[in-house]
Amino acid sequence: MALTETPGAHHRETTPEDIFIEWDVPIEMDDGLLLRADVYRPAKEGRFPVLITYGPYGKGLPFQQGYTTSWEIMARNHPDVTAGSTNRFQNWEVVDPEKWVPRDYVCIRVDSRGAGRSPGKMDLWSARETRDFHDCIEWAGTLPYSNGKVGLDGISYYAMNQWQVAALQPPHLAAICVWEGGSDWYRDMSHHGGILCTFIANWIPMQVTTVQYGRGEDGPRDPNSGLLVCGDEKLSKEELAENLTDLDEQYQQHPLDDEVYRERTPDFSKITVPLLSTGNWGGQGLHLRGNVEGYGRSASSQKWLEMHGLEHWSHFYTDYGRELQLRFFDHFLKGEDNGWADQPPVQLNIRHVDSTFVVRQEQSWPLERTEWTRLYLDADAGTLSAEPPSAAASVGYDTTGDGATFSFGPFPEQTEITGPLAAKLFVESSTADADLFLVVRVFSPEGEEVVFHGALDPHTPVAQGWLRASHRKLDPELSQPYRPYHTHDEIQPLEPGTVYELDVEIWPTCLVIPAGYTLQLDVRGRDYVYPGPAEHLSNMKNPMTGCGPFVHDDPVDRPAELFEGTVTVHTGGERQSHLLLPIIPGA
């Protein structure tokens, strides 16, 4: 019996695994432009739920070819990822159809406007893209083999735009799984605490323009379909540049949280669809904060938060992660009574110093039983203490060096910290501004630092936070003691030599600290650097030196006359600088 065909496909085939594939299906947008999609579906008649992704990474570029070292690490460390699949349809940060189509799902991959085989001007995360994604969802929901329920599932870019499109409330959207996806384009990605992050400037030429539409024969070829990944048309360098909005330049020209970022940041009050937000404890610099914020601020009455570790991409593909996604989507897209309705709202992988994890269910975020504990800085002793020091003291540091260090411990007993952190610091600067880089570190009794394989960097510290002192203004409605929220809507220069009170957000973390270990807070004027050797990923420009690609070294954003000087931290007396820790009793 012939299957119902989707109009306009380049060609079709049925695999030995009974997956019916339609390559390069056209989807018409409201302005007449045709986007291109690959459709993987069961080779049988019926109506099935749809999982759809929309993004710029090239639907025809194999994971193994475009992201060689990432694939090799995952395949080596997690054999369950490659088991049960030929892996020939693996594609960066989206589901493997060989593991989803047999479970009666339709998997659709759409090349976003200007990317892969979809023509047009690429304007990353823009309102234009979000409208395109909305229309793709509605197209998918009305296909003759769709059951009318569409889900969104993907990592990073394919997660971030889920927040945006969900706020538009497309009628056929039934559930979203935001896997490591930032939700605030200013605070999560472009400017950490108001300090420009250079990630986007390096990411675009490494991962985006390499698969931009119009590269023709200069781009790769899909070994499965035989099609050119970047379209058949060959555009000139000038035409390619004209077809790409320079987001890095926009970030540099817009240092405050204005319309550039608001266009890309969703209205959380309009996100009402069932939501599974999954974050990575090691995602410092991108996503981690956004998954937590998106979960907490979204208006959905049916929402869940899951937190894990390991590399950025691994758990999405492991049996642990895939089975979690399946349970969620089987419930909301197929209506299965599979126990998901009884799933606790929070599932945490509790992290230990040996890089092992223990899954634990919770009822809230932050955890209701959290004992919010202040550790006070003492500049004279270089310590953190539960008791505020009575005597005033201060310590200055050169912002080009390793900063000031404050230590607590050794811990008398095993202690768990899980949740968001914050610091209140009283500081003065020798210049009219100061960038504060806060690093929470843990050391063994032998003095070895406890670091983890983060989302990207293999030597990620326990927690980090950032603040540009001239961005110290707080939003009183959104701020919490454990999560100060800065408006980033005006610059308030410092008067050199004057002491200012600063509240610094430190991104969430989780760690069970054994007895005998020491906790340390570094207050620095530059990025954390792990003292060991750097590592490299094939799709990243920066060497991995502790912060991965999320560094803050743009000379225009950080001119020497403002950010190279002396910063002094004041403690004790009337200036009780402190670190706020989320201690979980009974660890």
Side-chain angles (χ1 to χ4, degrees):
M1 181 173 61
L3 291 173
T4 302
E5 296 182 348
T6 313
H10 184 276
H11 68 272
R12 302 172 174 87
E13 65 181 85
T14 301
T15 73
E17 296 80 22
D18 286 331
I19 299 174
F20 184 58
I21 307 175
E22 297 180 294
W23 306 104
D24 232 29
V25 175
I27 310 174
E28 186 172 356
M29 296 296 98
D30 59 0
D31 60 355
L33 183 133
L34 294 181
L35 302 180
R36 294 288 173 173
D38 290 343
V39 179
Y40 304 79
R41 57 188 173 103
K44 59 184 179 181
E45 289 294 343
R47 291 182 176 271
F48 312 101
V50 176
L51 295 179
I52 190 170
T53 52
Y54 170 103
Y57 291 138
K59 61 183 174 61
L61 179 65
F63 193 138
Q64 302 91 319
Q65 179 180 340
Y67 302 86
T68 305
T69 53
S70 299
W71 175 262
E72 290 173 348
I73 291 169
M74 180 169 64
R76 180 180 66 246
N77 295 343
H78 308 285
D80 54 326
V81 169
T82 57
S85 173
T86 68
N87 298 296
R88 65 187 185 275
F89 304 122
Q90 291 280 16
N91 188 246
W92 180 243
E93 299 189 330
V94 298
V95 300
D96 178 4
E98 288 191 78
K99 293 191 175 182
W100 284 82
V101 174
R103 301 294 293 263
D104 285 343
Y105 281 90
V106 177
C107 299
I108 300 178
R109 300 170 177 170
V110 184
D111 278 337
S112 58
R113 183 178 293 243
R117 294 186 60 83
S118 293
K121 182 170 183 177
M122 187 188 299
D123 192 2
L124 301 166
W125 292 293
S126 64
R128 174 68 264 180
E129 273 204 353
T130 306
R131 172 49 58 179
D132 286 350
F133 197 7
H134 171 283
D135 292 350
C136 289
I137 292 168
E138 289 307 289
W139 170 84
T142 56
L143 290 169
Y145 44 82
S146 167
N147 72 351
K149 293 180 181 288
V150 178
L152 310 182
D153 193 16
I155 312 173
S156 194
Y157 200 104
Y158 300 108
M160 297 166 77
N161 59 13
Q162 291 184 42
W163 301 113
Q164 296 173 283
V165 75
L168 296 185
Q169 301 181 350
H172 287 91
L173 183 60
I176 63 175
C177 175
V178 185
W179 199 280
E180 298 190 35
S183 59
D184 185 318
W185 268 247
Y186 187 88
R187 293 161 185 81
D188 295 347
M189 187 162 124
S190 71
H191 292 76
H192 297 134
I195 309 168
L196 179 67
C197 177
T198 58
F199 167 72
I200 197 75
N202 297 323
W203 166 74
I204 290 175
M206 292 294 290
Q207 293 184 228
V208 177
T209 57
T210 52
V211 286
Q212 184 180 1
Y213 175 85
R215 297 190 68 220
E217 292 284 354
D218 288 346
R221 186 177 292 273
D222 183 348
N224 296 302
S225 69
L227 297 171
L228 289 168
V229 170
C230 304
D232 303 324
E233 187 177 7
K234 177 66 184 299
L235 301 179
S236 67
K237 289 183 179 179
E238 292 75 18
E239 289 172 316
L240 288 170
E242 181 66 23
N243 280 345
L244 176 66
T245 297
D246 192 335
L247 201 56
D248 172 47
E249 182 178 335
Q250 286 191 341
Y251 284 177
Q252 292 186 348
Q253 293 177 354
H254 295 262
L256 298 177
D257 186 11
D258 60 16
E259 68 279 357
V260 168
Y261 310 100
R262 285 193 289 271
E263 176 184 347
R264 293 167 167 84
T265 298
D267 181 347
F268 293 106
S269 70
K270 294 182 179 178
I271 299 176
T272 57
V273 69
L275 160 68
L276 172 59
S277 177
T278 72
N280 189 321
W281 299 123
Q284 297 163 22
L286 187 61
H287 301 322
L288 165 60
R289 178 189 184 278
N291 278 108
V292 171
E293 286 289 302
Y295 166 77
R297 296 177 63 188
S298 292
S300 175
S301 60
Q302 300 180 90
K303 58 182 180 179
W304 290 264
L305 175 69
E306 187 272 349
M307 299 295 295
H308 54 265
L310 305 182
E311 305 87 359
H312 172 47
W313 52 87
S314 292
H315 260 323
F316 182 78
Y317 295 98
T318 63
D319 288 346
Y320 164 82
R322 184 173 51 84
E323 289 168 3
L324 184 75
Q325 297 160 54
L326 271 167
R327 288 180 56 229
F328 174 71
F329 284 119
D330 282 350
H331 181 70
F332 287 108
L333 302 189
K334 295 181 178 179
E336 291 186 4
D337 184 10
N338 59 3
W340 185 267
D342 298 321
Q343 174 79 9
V346 177
Q347 179 168 307
L348 306 178
N349 284 262
I350 303 301
R351 185 167 62 177
H352 292 256
V353 295
D354 61 355
S355 295
T356 59
F357 297 86
V358 177
V359 176
R360 192 174 73 205
Q361 313 290 349
E362 296 286 350
Q363 294 298 318
S364 64
W365 180 270
L367 278 59
E368 290 182 1
R369 65 185 184 281
T370 302
E371 295 177 353
W372 298 104
T373 302
R374 290 185 179 185
L375 295 181
Y376 294 90
L377 283 64
D378 187 329
D380 266 349
T383 58
L384 296 166
S385 173
E387 296 299 325
S390 57
S394 64
V395 58
Y397 62 88
D398 182 342
T399 58
T400 63
D402 293 333
T405 295
F406 304 88
S407 297
F408 175 85
F411 280 85
E413 59 185 4
Q414 178 174 282
T415 303
E416 178 186 332
I417 55 172
T418 295
L421 302 84
K424 182 181 288 292
L425 300 177
F426 293 85
V427 304
E428 64 175 294
S429 174
S430 63
T431 69
D433 212 339
D435 282 347
L436 301 183
F437 295 76
L438 271 58
V439 189
V440 178
R441 306 167 72 184
V442 169
F443 293 85
S444 73
E446 294 74 32
E448 294 185 6
E449 183 174 6
V450 176
V451 291
F452 300 93
H453 200 303
L456 291 173
D457 200 297
H459 301 109
T460 302
V462 173
Q464 295 189 76
W466 307 264
L467 181 64
R468 176 158 290 175
S470 61
H471 286 232
R472 61 190 177 276
K473 178 182 173 185
L474 293 171
D475 183 323
E477 293 186 4
L478 290 176
S479 288
Q480 298 287 349
Y482 54 79
R483 201 272 282 115
Y485 191 96
H486 299 88
T487 61
H488 299 294
D489 60 359
E490 66 173 304
I491 296 174
Q492 299 177 331
L494 308 183
E495 183 68 32
T498 300
V499 179
Y500 294 88
E501 180 179 343
L502 307 179
D503 292 282
V504 185
E505 177 185 7
I506 302 174
W507 287 21
T509 192
C510 173
L511 182 62
V512 176
I513 305 172
Y517 279 61
T518 300
L519 182 142
Q520 178 174 302
L521 174 67
D522 289 355
V523 183
R524 304 163 54 93
R526 60 176 183 169
D527 284 306
Y528 165 88
V529 177
Y530 177 71
E535 295 194 22
H536 297 264
L537 291 174
S538 61
N539 59 300
M540 293 291 168
K541 182 177 180 180
N542 296 61
M544 304 288 113
T545 58
C547 294
F550 310 111
V551 295
H552 310 79
D553 56 3
D554 185 278
V556 176
D557 181 68
R558 305 191 69 222
E561 61 269 23
L562 279 180
F563 299 104
E564 291 185 9
T566 300
V567 168
T568 302
V569 180
H570 293 263
T571 68
E574 297 180 353
R575 294 168 175 156
Q576 295 292 348
S577 295
H578 62 265
L579 172 67
L580 185 66
L581 289 181
I583 304 294
I584 308 303

